[in-house]
């Protein structure tokens, strides 16, 4: 279990180039004209995790299974997308299917790459996309309002709850606030509305190569916007990331990153931002056959984590044995950690922590 992240933005901001870099493929055609991407390109990629690699070096399992993230390259939105302009209806429907949004914003100058607005202004561009998503949500809510109101007047309790959520969301959107900023009232079925602006968003500032490590004045403006909105912001140079993705040798890749002043590839930064955005953590399991990383929401109890690994683990749950990954690695393995008293026995309600190495005991 990872998460499904949709890559959106105006045309020609670098979405498909970023997708190619993130997935180490050329699945999405990165061409210099709008609507090059007609159907969403989808790819699952392994989430790099040094902790999993360290466990594998110690346990030498037959297989290493990282957790995965699914990226969806969604074609560019333009002004009027909420009214169907630029294939907008199809693209908006694709956004509804993702868990989070990576909103790519153009923060680079180039005479060779056309801009649909004929000038570089990332804050304006971000506002254009945000506005189209809000208009689409307003249209969706207004179409639901009257049928719900009729049912509510007839005494339908479920319709009353949905109507309250619709009206609260419409009021916020009418004030220019996205649905994610709305605090639902008691009993309101807010999540069932499936609003585009309720999706968690991170900004991805695509800068020129020379600004890959430091960002630039354009990305600084988006970073300020992100802070004001309580969103996550990541700075990358999509062209550089595409080059990094082509390097098979880990040593050469590390040297390249070091020369650029980068600590890690853009893939890692986007994934870390996505996990922060969605409140996700990773736990690990290891045995002679497999070292495996698993993703789950922060605050998940052990019984639910067991079910992610295998339904039998949850059905016949007895206990879970827990070792912190850093202690597992430092001591050289599970048995050494047990001998050193670093293994804890927990019950079904134990809240799993990021980096826990878990062994489930069960009986079915």
């Amino acid at each position: 279990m990872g998460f499904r992240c949709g890559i959106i933005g105006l045309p020609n901001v670098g979405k498909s180039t970023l997708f190619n870099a993130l997935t180490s493929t050329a699945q999405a055609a990165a061409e210099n004209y709008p609507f090059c991407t007609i159907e969403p390109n989808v790819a699952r990629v392994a989430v790099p995790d040094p902790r999993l690699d360290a466990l594998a070096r110690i346990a030498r399992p037959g297989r290493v299974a990282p957790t995965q993230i699914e990226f969806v390259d969604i074609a560019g939105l333009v002004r009027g997308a909420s009214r169907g302009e630029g294939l907008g209806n199809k693209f908006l429907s694709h956004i509804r299917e993702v868990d989070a949004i990576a909103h790519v914003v153009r923060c680079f100058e180039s005479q060779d790459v056309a801009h649909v607005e004929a000038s570089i202004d990332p804050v304006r561009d971000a506002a254009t996309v945000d506005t189209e998503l809000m208009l689409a949500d307003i249209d969706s809510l207004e179409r639901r309002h009257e049928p719900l109101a009729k049912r509510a007047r007839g005494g339908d309790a479920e319709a009353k709850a949905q109507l309250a959520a619709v009206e609260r969301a419409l009021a916020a959107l009418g004030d220019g606030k996205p649905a994610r900023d709305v605090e639902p009232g008691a009993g309101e079925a807010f999540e069932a509305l499936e609003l585009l602006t309720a999706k968690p968003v991170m900004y991805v500032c695509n800068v020129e190569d020379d600004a890959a490590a430091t960002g630039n004045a354009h990305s600084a403006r988006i970073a300020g916007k992100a802070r004001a909105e309580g969103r996550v912001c990541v700075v990358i140079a999509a062209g550089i990331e595409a080059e990094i993705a082509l390097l098979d040798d880990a040593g050469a890749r590390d040297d390249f990153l070091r020369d650029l002043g980068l600590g890690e590839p853009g893939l890692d930064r986007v994934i870390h931002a996505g996990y922060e955005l969605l409140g996700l953590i990773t736990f690990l399991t290891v045995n002679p056959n497999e070292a495996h990383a698993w993703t789950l929401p922060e605050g998940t109890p052990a019984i639910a984590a067991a079910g992610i690994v295998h339904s039998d683990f949850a059905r016949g749950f007895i206990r879970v044995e827990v070792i912190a990954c850093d202690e597992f690695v430092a001591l050289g393995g599970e048995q050494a950690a047990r001998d050193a008293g670093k293994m804890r026995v927990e019950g079904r309600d134990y809240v799993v922590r990021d980096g826990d190495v878990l062994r489930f005991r069960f009986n079915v």
Side-chain angles (χ1 to χ4, degrees), residues 108-122:
F108 65 90
E109 306 274 353
S110 174
Q111 297 298 319
D112 299 325
V113 182
H115 192 293
V116 291
E117 299 284 359
S119 63
I120 307 301
D121 185 340

Side-chain angles (χ1 to χ4, degrees), residues 95-118:
I95 297 172
R96 296 187 196 281
E97 299 170 358
V98 300
D99 299 312
I101 295 171
H103 182 169
V104 181
V105 185
R106 178 169 171 175
C107 294
F108 65 90
E109 306 274 353
S110 174
Q111 297 298 319
D112 299 325
V113 182
H115 192 293
V116 291
E117 299 284 359

Side-chain angles (χ1 to χ4, degrees), residues 18-149:
L18 173 62
F19 177 84
N20 292 342
L22 291 171
T23 60
S24 303
T25 71
Q27 292 182 38
E31 299 292 346
N32 181 26
Y33 56 90
F35 315 122
C36 166
T37 310
I38 303 302
E39 296 296 336
N41 292 270
V42 181
R44 285 186 175 182
V45 297
V47 175
D49 192 331
R51 298 171 302 186
L52 181 64
D53 297 335
L55 290 185
R57 284 193 296 271
I58 292 171
R60 299 181 182 274
R63 176 174 176 265
V64 178
T67 191
Q68 295 185 326
I69 177 173
E70 190 167 88
F71 286 105
V72 184
D73 181 23
I74 301 171
L77 294 170
V78 294
R79 289 187 191 277
S82 59
R83 303 187 303 274
E85 296 291 334
L87 304 178
N89 290 334
K90 180 178 288 189
F91 300 159
L92 292 169
S93 71
H94 293 148
I95 297 172
R96 296 187 196 281
E97 299 170 358
V98 300
D99 299 312
I101 295 171
H103 182 169
V104 181
V105 185
R106 178 169 171 175
C107 294
F108 65 90
E109 306 274 353
S110 174
Q111 297 298 319
D112 299 325
V113 182
H115 192 293
V116 291
E117 299 284 359
S119 63
I120 307 301
D121 185 340
V123 173
R124 175 204 61 203
D125 294 349
T128 295
V129 173
D130 288 344
T131 297
E132 292 303 326
L133 297 182
M134 284 193 281
L135 288 172
D137 279 347
I138 289 172
D139 179 64
S140 171
L141 292 168
E142 287 180 340
R143 283 187 279 108
R144 298 187 222 184
H145 187 274
E146 186 53 32
L148 284 172

